[in-house]
Amino acid sequence: MRDTTHMPVDHPAIPEEKIGVLIANLGTPDNYDYWSMRRYLGEFLSDQRVIDYPKWKWQPILQGIILTIRPFRSGANYKSIWNHELGESPLMTITKAQTAKLRDSLEKRFGDKVMVDFAMRYGNPSTRSKVAEMVKAGCTRILFFPLYPHYSGPTTATANDQFFRALMEETWQPAARTVPAYYDRESYIEALAQSVERVYPSEGQAPDVLVCSYHGVPKRYLTQGDPYHCQCQKTTRLLRERLGWEKDRVVTTFQSKFGPEEWLQPYTVEEVARLAEAGKKRIAVIAPAFSSDCIETLEEINEEIQESFTEAGGEEFTYLPCLNDDDAHIRMMTEIVEENLAGWAD
């Protein structure tokens, strides 16, 4: 509690001291029309953590070609998965639900001492606006929680970058902490395993192969020191061991390749076709790197990747949803927050 005993009567009001917990997701366009998509894609693809080519080389291509054509195609893809009832993307709907459940969970533990909200790296609500709201509400300490189990420059790092840029604009900066990657955390692996076992409660019902499809990054990121590839491989191994499945029945692949250079392989869209051609008629796909279902899972996996499998002779394709606001996921998030608030909140 702030001590206001010696404050002069004309001193500006100071709100009751709180701790902020700000979870962060990738982002979403405000709508699927051309200009909404262009704004969103322009912000996303101008981030040099995402596309690290020199600006003088990349921006003319982006502004002159990509942002002229791609908003139409991406807008159609978003329209096919849009939550028309609420007028927002599924990612927004799910992130709101995660925030509400996490808020309820932490309120039971800390009462009104902790303020919980969410922000998007791209689009709205922006990280800058949410940090400003927390500071105005009296948060002198903020825990920033990027919803990425695996660390990578284009995900965790750019989210943290934006958080620190937001702090730079505050006159009275709060103390800050960021949540590290949790790709090998026992409660995370357990939540993933439970999501598989809900669909396949017995060995006899299990698919021929479980494909763990992670968002891809250029292969050179690995040689530059980005730990993402190794962390993804470890998540797959731990999940397979927890499920007790044979090694060749759980594989790691990478999706969402963009641009001409080589990305981490095998590519999901090609691997599922190879599996079908090799006689694997029943597969399931899970996306451990995504904390919430989004365009890459609901459209890319459920449409493009599924089509690749069936056209190659596959017969049964099952997509296992992300952890979203599943209770096991919220318990894991609560556990992570409590650990990272140590020394700040009792």
Side-chain angles (χ1 to χ4, degrees):
M1 179 178 293
R2 298 181 192 271
D3 181 6
T4 59
T5 306
H6 303 290
M7 284 173 49
V9 293
D10 60 347
H11 194 285
I14 298 178
E16 189 70 25
E17 189 171 356
K18 295 184 181 68
I19 296 169
V21 175
L22 185 59
I23 65 173
N25 221 323
L26 178 74
T28 170
D30 294 326
N31 211 320
Y32 50 78
D33 62 276
Y34 176 83
W35 290 108
S36 295
M37 291 304 311
R38 185 180 175 107
R39 284 192 298 272
Y40 175 72
L41 292 172
E43 182 182 8
F44 175 50
L45 297 175
S46 292
D47 184 351
Q48 287 206 287
R49 288 279 197 180
V50 175
I51 306 291
D52 62 353
Y53 302 148
K55 289 183 179 180
W56 64 266
K57 179 187 293 186
W58 173 241
Q59 282 298 320
I61 298 171
L62 176 63
Q63 301 297 331
I65 301 174
I66 295 173
L67 292 182
T68 300
I69 300 170
R70 188 164 177 139
F72 291 109
R73 186 178 68 199
S74 295
N77 291 340
Y78 267 98
K79 185 178 180 179
S80 71
I81 65 164
W82 201 254
N83 185 338
H84 294 279
E85 182 180 352
L86 296 178
E88 61 191 23
S89 73
L91 178 69
M92 178 67 76
T93 304
I94 293 165
T95 306
K96 286 179 178 178
Q98 291 170 326
T99 304
K101 285 191 172 183
L102 180 63
R103 182 183 295 121
D104 289 344
S105 177
L106 292 174
E107 186 175 347
K108 293 173 185 175
R109 176 75 170 81
F110 300 110
D112 61 358
K113 290 166 52 179
V114 174
M115 176 181 179
V116 181
D117 210 336
F118 75 94
M120 300 294 185
R121 171 60 184 89
Y122 313 104
N124 297 306
S126 69
T127 305
R128 180 175 287 109
S129 69
K130 288 301 178 179
V131 167
E133 284 182 21
M134 285 189 161
V135 171
K136 186 176 181 180
C139 294
T140 58
R141 302 172 184 181
I142 297 178
L143 175 65
F144 187 67
F145 190 165
L147 291 178
Y148 304 111
H150 310 80
Y151 176 93
S152 186
T155 54
T156 311
T158 190
N160 287 341
D161 288 346
Q162 195 73 349
F163 174 56
F164 294 130
R165 278 191 285 267
L167 292 178
M168 290 171 64
E169 297 189 7
E170 294 302 322
T171 301
W172 186 355
Q173 283 186 334
R177 290 176 179 173
T178 61
V179 171
Y182 49 94
Y183 61 95
D184 58 353
R185 190 180 190 89
E186 184 177 352
S187 53
Y188 163 64
I189 301 299
E190 182 62 27
L192 290 175
Q194 289 178 16
S195 74
V196 175
E197 291 171 338
R198 274 195 294 272
V199 180
Y200 303 108
S202 69
E203 179 69 17
Q205 297 171 301
D208 298 330
V209 177
L210 175 64
V211 178
C212 295
S213 181
Y214 299 84
H215 198 291
V217 296
K219 185 178 180 180
R220 61 185 167 83
Y221 286 16
L222 173 62
T223 61
Q224 292 170 352
D226 193 305
Y228 181 72
H229 177 266
C230 299
Q231 292 181 358
C232 293
Q233 294 286 358
K234 187 170 184 181
T235 292
T236 299
R237 176 176 63 80
L238 292 174
L239 176 59
R240 176 181 59 78
E241 291 173 353
R242 162 60 180 78
L243 291 170
W245 293 9
E246 296 88 350
K247 189 173 184 179
D248 61 354
R249 290 187 58 203
V250 184
V251 299
T252 298
T253 64
F254 299 91
Q255 65 181 85
S256 310
K257 181 181 182 297
F258 178 82
E261 66 179 302
E262 181 181 0
W263 280 36
L264 296 177
Q265 296 192 40
Y267 301 135
T268 305
V269 69
E270 295 177 0
E271 182 65 9
V272 297
R274 188 196 68 77
L275 288 170
E277 291 165 357
K280 307 300 184 183
K281 300 300 183 183
R282 300 174 63 243
I283 69 168
V285 178
I286 190 171
F290 297 91
S291 65
S292 316
D293 275 307
C294 56
I295 191 74
E296 286 86 357
T297 63
L298 298 175
E299 192 280 329
E300 185 178 357
I301 291 179
N302 259 332
E303 296 183 24
E304 178 187 352
I305 291 169
Q306 180 175 2
E307 183 179 315
S308 177
F309 177 67
T310 55
E311 287 185 350
E315 296 176 358
E316 185 178 320
F317 180 99
T318 302
Y319 169 62
L320 304 179
C322 292
L323 296 177
N324 296 326
D325 64 339
D326 180 77
D327 288 344
H329 193 204
I330 301 304
R331 284 195 297 272
M332 181 212 74
M333 293 171 65
T334 302
E335 177 185 285
I336 289 173
V337 170
E338 288 179 343
E339 288 181 8
N340 282 273
L341 290 184
W344 278 7
D346 300 321

